[in-house]
């Protein structure tokens, strides 16, 4: 239950990355646990809702609603 609309979704390794319209957690990371459990891992409050996401290597390029902003999220 992410309490918002999921607008983008990526699964990499044991993590699910969700771009949403949640006003305080637009970028969410969920971990895949034992037995198929899906557990909250972390989240990020962005300046606006996520409308599109692309992934290249270890980076996510996240387009935000109502602006020409793209946020780059990396693993480092």
């Amino acid at each position: 239950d992410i309490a918002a609309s999921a607008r983008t979704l990526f699964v990499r390794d044991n993590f699910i990355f969700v771009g949403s319209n949640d006003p305080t957690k637009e970028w969410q990371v969920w971990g895949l646990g034992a037995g198929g459990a899906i557990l909250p891992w972390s989240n990020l409050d962005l300046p606006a809702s996520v409308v599109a996401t692309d992934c290249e290597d270890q980076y996510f390029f996240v387009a935000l609603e109502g602006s020409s902003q793209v946020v780059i999220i990396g693993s480092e």
Side-chain angles (χ1 to χ4, degrees):
D1 180 16
I2 66 167
S5 294
R7 295 192 167 169
T8 64
L9 181 87
F10 285 86
V11 178
R12 294 184 92 182
D13 300 321
N14 290 326
F15 294 98
I16 302 169
F17 300 88
V18 179
S20 79
N21 66 347
D22 186 310
T24 60
K25 297 182 277 190
E26 290 85 1
W27 187 251
Q28 300 179 32
V29 181
W30 296 76
L32 297 173
I38 299 174
L39 307 168
W41 184 266
S42 69
N43 61 70
L44 186 60
D45 185 11
L46 300 174
S49 295
V50 173
V51 292
T53 306
D54 195 9
C55 181
E56 183 70 34
D57 296 323
Q58 63 185 15
Y59 297 100
F60 288 96
F61 300 89
V62 181
L64 302 180
E65 184 172 44
S67 72
S68 58
Q69 283 186 300
V70 173
V71 176
I72 301 171
I73 302 172
S75 63
E76 297 178 19

